[in-house]
């Protein structure tokens, strides 16, 4: 891996502009998403129940929830879900989503668990999108916004690993080379 890549310059909140461009999220798709905020708010408690049922069912994920206020978590995850439908995906949005990712980095949660939770989130979101007068376009828009979120969440993990490794080895370029397995 000898070549410098332009993507290496894109960090933190800047990833949102890049990803929105990459995914071609249109103004119409943002409007469609925003039109579904009401149904999303109604469905959010049911989604969070299913979400935590799944996490409590598995010993390795349940362990992280011991001693945590479940009332607070239910409301934070509900808010996270409703915000997917906000229709505004700007730098503030990215900053909030990135901060959520960072909280999970700090509790030492392997990234595979949040990623696996898409299995719970996706069907709820798609069912809401299908209630729209333009169901197909809305489902596509929902998938894009969710993929955007996953990318940001994951970026929080990658930024953290890269930052620490770069500090340790004295430079980001070398850290990237090591992470690519070619160092
Ligand atoms: C789609 C995946 C996930 C989303 C969207 C999500 C969302 C959130 C949000 C919004 C918060 C509140 C953050 C804040 O305080 O501002 C939170 C906290 C937390 N999440 Fe998740 N979460 C996800 C997956 C998981 C998984 C798989 C676990 C593991 C069991 C988990 C465990 C926790 C814990 C323990 C906290 C509390 C952290 C603390 O306050 O110290 N989350 N999550």
């Amino acid at each position: 891996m000898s070549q410098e890549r332009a993507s290496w310059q894109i960090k933190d909140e800047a990833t949102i502009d890049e990803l929105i461009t990459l995914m071609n999220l249109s103004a119409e798709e943002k409007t469609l998403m925003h039109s579904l905020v009401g149904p999303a708010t109604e469905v959010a408690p049911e989604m969070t129940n299913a979400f935590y049922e799944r996490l409590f069912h598995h010993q390795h994920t349940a362990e992280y929830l011991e001693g945590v206020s479940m009332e607070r978590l239910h409301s934070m995850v509900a808010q996270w879900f409703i915000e997917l439908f906000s229709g505004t995906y700007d730098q503030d949005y990215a900053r909030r989503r990135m901060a959520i990712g960072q909280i999970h980095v700090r509790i030492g949660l392997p990234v595979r668990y949040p990623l696996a939770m898409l299995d719970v989130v996706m069907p709820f979101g798609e069912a809401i999108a299908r209630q729209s007068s333009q169901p197909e376009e809305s489902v596509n828009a929902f998938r894009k916004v969710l993929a955007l979120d996953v990318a940001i969440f994951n970026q929080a993990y990658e930024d953290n690993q890269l930052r620490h490794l770069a500090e340790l080895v004295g430079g980001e370029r070398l850290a990237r080379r090591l992470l690519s397995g070619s160092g």
Side-chain angles (χ1 to χ4, degrees):
M1 195 186 75
S2 54
Q3 207 181 339
E4 197 79 21
R5 297 293 183 183
S7 64
W8 297 355
Q9 303 306 320
I10 313 288
K11 303 221 176 90
D12 305 313
E13 302 93 49
T15 48
I16 189 95
D17 292 335
E18 195 217 24
L19 288 168
I20 284 180
T21 311
L22 174 74
M23 297 170 78
N24 238 346
L25 190 68
S26 67
E28 195 200 356
E29 286 173 317
K30 291 180 201 171
T31 306
L32 277 177
M33 286 299 283
H34 184 62
S35 73
L36 293 165
V37 80
T41 307
E42 268 173 48
V43 168
E46 199 192 327
M47 196 292 292
T48 58
N49 283 341
F51 189 93
Y52 286 110
E53 198 181 302
R54 180 72 66 90
L55 292 182
F56 273 114
H57 200 69
H58 183 62
Q59 195 194 338
H60 291 172
T61 45
E63 199 182 26
Y64 285 91
L65 302 173
E66 279 167 22
V68 176
S69 160
M70 287 317 295
E71 201 182 319
R72 180 175 166 273
L73 273 197
H74 269 269
S75 113
M76 300 297 279
V77 170
Q79 201 183 320
W80 169 84
F81 182 71
I82 294 163
E83 250 195 72
L84 285 173
F85 295 86
S86 67
T88 304
Y89 311 105
D90 55 10
Q91 299 237 334
D92 282 344
Y93 175 87
R95 213 168 285 131
R96 286 194 298 277
R97 313 306 261 196
M98 184 70 77
I100 293 171
Q102 283 160 352
I103 283 168
H104 295 83
V105 170
R106 279 201 293 275
I107 63 169
L109 182 73
V111 73
R112 66 179 178 278
Y113 297 134
L115 297 184
M117 289 310 285
L118 293 183
D119 182 47
V120 174
V121 175
M122 185 94 76
F124 280 98
E126 289 188 357
I128 291 165
R130 278 195 290 272
Q131 293 178 27
S132 153
S133 55
Q134 290 169 263
E136 204 178 314
E137 291 83 352
S138 298
V139 168
N140 281 342
F142 171 75
R143 286 183 188 156
K144 280 190 190 184
V145 171
L146 190 60
L148 200 61
D149 213 79
V150 170
I152 296 172
F153 206 108
N154 204 60
Q155 191 67 34
Y157 276 79
E158 189 180 304
D159 285 349
N160 180 61
Q161 284 165 2
L162 198 58
R163 197 159 33 240
H164 283 101
L165 192 58
E167 262 172 41
L168 201 67
V169 299
E172 189 181 310
R173 205 161 186 285
L174 178 56
R176 285 194 185 269
R177 214 162 66 221
L178 289 169
L179 287 174
S180 77
S182 57

